[in-house]
Every structure is written in structure tokens, then in C-alpha cells.
Amino acid sequence: MRYILGIETSCDETSAAVLEGRRVRASVVASQVDLHAQWGGIVPEAAARQHVERLNPILQQALDAAGIGWSDIDGIAVTNRPGLVGALVVGLAAAKALAFALNRPFVGVHHLEGHLYSAFLETPDDPIPFPHLALIVSGGHTELVLARGHGDYLLLGQTLDDAVGEAFDKTARLLGLGYPGGPQIDQRAQQGDPTAFRFPRAKVEGWNFSYSGLKTAVRREVERLRAQNALDEATVNHLCAAFQQAAIEPLIHHTLDAAGALGVGVVTVVGGVAANSALQRQMREACQQAGLTLFLPPPRYCTDNAAMIALAGYFRLTAGQRDDYDLDAYANAPLAYPHADSSTPSNA
Ligand code: KG4
Ligand code: ZN
């Protein structure tokens, strides 16, 4: 299995990638951010229609960039869950049509499994280190997962309400910073003082997370400042820095705590929020101090992309896994389940 084609259309990025073995030969991502920015969030119907319009040229672009033709493709990996169903089916239908026309195998990949493998796109010659602890932080998910082997995942903790990326997006919206909010807050926070405001760190059971309390605390503060006409640019920067610090501290704390409790020496941080510069810096420092090896994908592989889907698919396809043409798309699907025998978190 030499060339794998990856397809990702689960949300608002239309993406295709070609891997040669585990090495990325082409990765094309067309973001719909500009389209959805006018509505301040993703409109599912519009996202699906954009995927329909863009996917074919993007597939061709990926093949051209990889310098291969259609018949060179040996297998196809496509995100089929979880995500916006109308968006997922566009990629899935394309994958099935190509698999049929080229007479090649295809597999459906869980979007979060793709994110897990994104940490290893830059190290194609090294074995994937198992077990490792993965912190998955995106617009839709906040999960701490123990990866014990290919396809063998244990859920250690997750958000009980909003995802951390969602908290970034909602806070940015509250402050009138536009969509998506994560990169805006990241930028603003660099000019702000994280100690200017003290927002609550959620106290939840075990290695779980919660962001609704933080969101409410920020909203109250913003309303108070607005009423006093005190929401100037410098104050917005301080709010961003203080919010960001409150958002990332539990992520770092739980990850380090779980690594220590379970005796795991390798940590990854993946998903859109992994691109956050403060999270990257503080996680690097914490892992270095604790003697943990940290894998952080470059920003282009943190946010949604088909290269990570192709890599997850590579391991499934080379292990002989194949899906049938009746494979469906699913809005919701867990990557992993909690396990009764997982160690008790120290802060439980
Ligand atoms: O993984 P992703 O591209 O899509 C999902 O699967 O959700 O993640 C998108 C999320 C958005 O919430 C976006 O605001 C956030 O990642 N994000 C960031 C940064 N870049 C993207 N959050 C904080 N700091 C960033 N630099
Ligand atoms: Zn994602």
C-alpha cells in the first residue's frame, strides 16, 4: 500500500491529502472561515454546499501536488464520524465513488482518531509510541485519552459542557473579535496581562473539564465593564489573557496529573486549540519539568486536515481493514469509552 488518499469534510474545512507510506506528499486544505464569518459561526447547510463545490478541484490539486495520477492511489481514508452529517456525506460519497471507480479499498475514520495521529505526521520514520496520553482540544471536543495501541483508546476525562475551542469562540464573539475566536484571543492575549482578572478554574470530578462557568464569569465581567464604559482595547487584551489562562490551566494540570498517575511518558496535544501559543509554551515547560516527551503537531496539522485522516487510515488499511459501500456518516460517535479499571485521578 504505497499511496493513501485522505478526505476530510466533517466541518468547515474541505481537505484532501496524499501520503506515501506515512509521509505526507500533499496536503490541501480549503477553509470556509470567510464564508461562515459573516454569520459568526458555522451554518451546516452552507458548509455542505461548499464541500460539494470544492471537493473535486481539491482532490485534483492534492494529486497534482503529490505528482501522481488517480490509478496510483492504493487506498482511501475518509472521515465518516462525528461531524455535520450533511458535510460528512460529501466526503464519504466521493470516497465511495473513487473506491468503486478505481477498484481500491476504503475505510471510514473517526475524526478524533485523525487528530490523535496528527501528532505523528512529522515523524514518519519513527514508530508510533504506545502507550501515550493524548489531549484532544478542538471546537467540538475536549478529551483526555490514553492511546494503548492502534485503535485501542481509553477515555480518561472529557468536558462536561462546552468544548474548550467553543469557549474560545464564544468569548471572542462576546468581545466582538470575530470568528473563529481562538486565533484572535491567542493574538490579543499576547498583549494582555493574565493576572489582570481572576476567572474561576472549574472544579469537576476526576480528569474531566468544564467551561460553562468560565464563560459565564467572563460574560458578567464584560457586562460590568461595558456598563462602566471601561471596555477599551487594553482591557480587552487583559480579558483575553485572563480567560486564556483560566482555559488552559486545567488542560495542563489534568494531562500532567494523568501521566504521573498512569506512569505514561509520552504526551500529545492535538486539535485546533493545540495551535494556541500559550498552551504550547506552558505544556512544553510542564512536560520538560516532569520529564515527559511531548509531541505537538505544527499549526497546519492542529486544525482539521485530511493528512491526519490519511495517516489514521494508513494503519487501518495496512492492517487489512476495509469498509463496505453501505458505510454511513454519523453526527455523534464516541472515540473511546471510560474503563472501570482506569486509575483514580489524584484530584478526584
Ligand atoms: O480541530 P478544529 O480545526 O475543528 C474541530 O474539530 O473542532 O478546531 C477548531 C477550534 C476552534 O474553536 C478555534 O477557535 C480553535 O480550534 N483554535 C484555537 C487556535 N486556533 C484554532 N484556539 C485557541 N488558540 C488558537 N491559536
Ligand atoms: Zn477537528
Side-chain angles (χ1 to χ4, degrees), residues 274-288:
N276 184 267
S277 59
L279 176 59
Q280 291 205 353
R281 190 180 61 250
Q282 292 176 37
M283 191 62 104
R284 266 201 198 98
E285 286 166 8
C287 285
Q288 202 171 4

Side-chain angles (χ1 to χ4, degrees), residues 117-135:
Y117 282 93
S118 70
F120 308 111
L121 281 165
E122 299 267 277
T123 51
D125 298 321
D126 302 335
I128 306 280
F130 290 116
H132 65 261
L133 201 59
L135 175 67

Side-chain angles (χ1 to χ4, degrees), residues 43-79:
V43 176
E45 179 60 34
R49 217 169 317 132
Q50 280 270 307
H51 288 311
V52 171
E53 279 170 27
R54 290 183 172 182
L55 186 54
N56 281 352
I58 276 162
L59 284 165
Q60 187 63 58
Q61 228 175 302
L63 258 65
D64 292 348
I68 63 165
W70 293 104
S71 58
D72 294 318
I73 294 166
D74 298 301
I76 300 162
V78 60
T79 310

Side-chain angles (χ1 to χ4, degrees), residues 8 10-11 111-112 115 136 138-141 271-272 302-305 308:
E8 155 68 41
S10 69
C11 194
H111 181 77
L112 294 187
H115 275 302
I136 309 173
S138 72
H141 297 271
C302 287
T303 44
D304 290 348
N305 65 87
M308 68 186 195

Side-chain angles (χ1 to χ4, degrees), residues 79-81 84-86 88-89 92 96 326-331:
T79 310
N80 76 314
R81 67 196 194 282
L84 305 169
V85 167
L88 286 165
V89 294
L92 186 56
K96 287 178 186 175
D326 61 2
L327 181 72
D328 244 325
Y330 300 94

Side-chain angles (χ1 to χ4, degrees), residues 8 10-13 42 111-112 115 137-141 163-169 179-187 244 248 270-279 301-305 308:
E8 155 68 41
S10 69
C11 194
D12 62 341
E13 329 277 356
I42 296 163
H111 181 77
L112 294 187
H115 275 302
V137 278
S138 72
H141 297 271
V164 60
E166 199 180 341
F168 270 91
D169 293 337
Y179 171 87
Q184 313 270 358
I185 289 186
D186 193 344
Q187 289 287 317
Q244 180 175 271
I248 66 179
V270 297
V273 182
N276 184 267
S277 59
L279 176 59
Y301 294 145
C302 287
T303 44
D304 290 348
N305 65 87
M308 68 186 195

